[in-house]
């Protein structure tokens, strides 16, 4: 039987062993708790040297790494509209060699409702040639001209003598200009827009040796102190007559005769007379209308064939 002195050390050893086991159990339990907590890893790790190091804390919200930017692809070139493509590749259209219209201001009257092919406020493009105008008479049958600043209008723009008596401002590419009066017709092959000028008028624009030059031209309403005159054609009577107006400032659109029922419009011929084939209105009152619609009335003219009879009226300058 062991002595009391021997039992005390044994009891102490047992007590120490119990504490050792308890501490070990607690340590194991703590390790399991730490291992099983949310996050799944302890806050400390062992370094290669065996020392403890603190692990960086992790945010409860997982942060996805920003993906590397994709290599940028060049954006497609903007598509050109048809208009842009045309402007970049197509040369500008050349002006018409015949007739073109410029955005010139309209005449003071604002309208010319009775104008034919030749309209006020319009610039026409064509060519000028020249001919021997002699005394200035031509298809319009005005007779000798007081000057030779005259022109023959191409057949198309002559328009059954509607161009007769029109004043035209003609400009050359050099900047030179001349004003002419239409007294004649230039037959085919004169093209629309072409003017056949007297040699005297052509010489104001270029040397006669040039023969043919590009021009622009437009209608004028010139200043004048003259009044309109009337002439009955040779052979006119109460039974048949041809009537012509001369010296009108603006192109003439209509000539009418007074009848019992009002005004009767006469037909215009290519030789610039208005005919009354049955004598209606011959020797009576006349009414003249220009391309702007202005009307002039002429009374008291007797039938005097082939005689120029002046009046006291004239169209307004435009």
């Amino acid at each position: 039987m062991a002595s009391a002195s021997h039992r005390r050390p044994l009891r102490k050893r047992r007590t120490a062993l119990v504490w050792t086991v308890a501490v070990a159990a607690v340590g194991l339990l703590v390790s399991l708790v730490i291992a099983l907590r949310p996050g799944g890893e302890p806050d400390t790790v062992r370094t290669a040297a065996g020392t403890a190091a603190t692990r960086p804390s992790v945010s409860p919200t997982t942060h996805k790494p920003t993906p590397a930017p994709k290599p940028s692809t060049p954006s497609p070139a903007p598509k050109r509209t048809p208009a842009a493509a045309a402007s970049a590749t197509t040369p500008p259209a050349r002006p018409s060699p015949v007739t073109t219209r410029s955005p010139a201001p309209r005449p003071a009257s604002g309208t010319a409702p009775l104008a034919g092919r030749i309209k006020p406020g319009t610039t026409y493009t064509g060519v000028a040639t020249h001919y021997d105008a002699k005394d200035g008479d031509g298809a319009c049958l005005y007779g000798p001209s007081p000057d030779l600043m005259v022109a023959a209008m191409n057949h198309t723009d002559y328009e059954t003598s509607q161009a007769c008596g029109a004043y035209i401002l003609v400009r050359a590419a050099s900047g030179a200009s001349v004003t002419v009066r239409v007294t004649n017709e230039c037959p085919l092959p004169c093209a629309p827009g072409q003017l056949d000028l007297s040699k005297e008028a052509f010489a104001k624009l270029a040397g006669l040796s040039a023969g043919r030059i590009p021009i622009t031209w437009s209608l004028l309403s010139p200043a004048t102190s003259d009044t309109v005159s009337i002439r009955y054609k040779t052979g006119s009577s109460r039974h048949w007559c041809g009537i012509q107006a001369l010296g009108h400032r603006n192109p003439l659109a209509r000539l009418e005769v007074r009848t019992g029922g009002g005004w009767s419009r006469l037909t215009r011929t290519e030789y610039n007379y208005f005919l009354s084939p049955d004598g209606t209105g011959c020797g009576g009152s006349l009414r003249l209308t220009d391309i702007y619609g202005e009307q002039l009335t002429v009374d008291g003219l007797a039938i005097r064939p082939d005689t120029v009879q002046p009046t006291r009226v004239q169209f307004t300058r435009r």
Side-chain angles (χ1 to χ4, degrees):
M1 183 174 180
S3 64
S5 60
H6 284 172
R7 287 196 297 268
R8 288 191 191 100
L10 181 59
R11 190 179 297 118
K12 290 180 180 179
R13 285 197 298 272
R14 289 177 180 173
T15 302
L17 181 60
V18 169
W19 279 107
T20 301
V21 172
V23 169
V26 170
L28 180 60
L29 180 61
V30 170
S31 298
L32 290 174
V33 170
I34 291 173
L36 296 176
R37 71 180 179 85
E41 294 181 3
D43 288 337
T44 59
V45 293
R46 292 284 174 179
T47 65
T51 59
T54 304
R55 188 180 183 89
S57 62
V58 179
S59 170
T61 304
T62 304
H63 176 72
K64 294 182 179 179
T66 304
K70 294 181 180 179
S72 59
T73 56
S75 58
K79 294 183 179 180
R80 292 184 352 193
T81 62
S87 64
T89 59
T90 305
R94 301 184 65 179
S96 168
V98 187
T99 58
T100 58
R101 301 195 175 184
S102 70
R106 295 191 63 83
S109 66
T111 58
L114 301 178
R117 287 181 57 86
I118 303 175
K119 294 176 171 54
T122 302
T123 298
Y124 299 88
T125 300
V127 296
T129 51
H130 60 77
Y131 75 110
D132 184 1
K134 300 186 183 304
D135 63 0
D137 193 13
C140 296
L141 297 185
Y142 286 133
S145 176
D147 61 45
L148 291 179
M149 295 296 106
V150 296
M153 181 61 72
N154 67 82
H155 173 76
T156 302
D157 294 324
Y158 183 77
E159 200 173 7
T160 315
S161 77
Q162 287 194 55
C164 284
Y167 288 88
I168 303 294
L169 175 63
V170 187
R171 294 185 182 276
S174 64
S177 64
V178 64
T179 298
V180 295
R181 184 168 60 103
V182 177
T183 63
N184 208 348
E185 177 185 7
C186 178
L188 297 174
C190 272
Q194 182 173 348
L195 291 176
D196 204 19
L197 305 177
S198 66
K199 291 181 178 180
E200 292 78 5
F202 189 95
K204 300 285 186 181
L205 304 177
L208 295 181
S209 60
R212 182 185 182 93
I213 60 172
I215 58 166
T216 58
W217 54 272
S218 55
L219 183 65
L220 283 183
S221 178
T224 180
S225 58
D226 295 337
T227 59
V228 177
S229 296
I230 299 296
R231 176 164 55 194
Y232 278 92
K233 197 177 187 318
T234 301
S236 294
S237 67
R238 292 283 182 180
H239 308 289
W240 176 94
C241 67
I243 308 171
Q244 182 186 56
L246 305 87
H248 41 88
R249 172 187 275 125
N250 305 320
L252 192 64
R254 295 175 180 171
L255 190 151
E256 299 165 285
V257 294
R258 192 189 296 277
T259 66
W263 293 99
S264 177
R265 181 178 176 182
L266 300 186
T267 300
R268 192 173 197 167
T269 67
E270 291 188 357
Y271 51 89
N272 197 34
Y273 273 88
F274 294 82
L275 297 185
S276 176
D278 58 1
T280 300
C282 295
S285 297
L286 308 177
R287 185 166 72 177
L288 312 178
T289 306
D290 70 3
I291 61 172
Y292 300 96
E294 183 179 359
Q295 295 181 330
L296 306 175
T297 302
V298 179
D299 298 314
L301 289 180
I303 300 176
R304 296 177 182 173
D306 205 26
T307 300
V308 175
Q309 301 184 64
T311 70
R312 297 180 179 180
V313 294
Q314 180 59 274
F315 292 113
T316 304
R317 186 180 184 185
R318 305 289 174 169

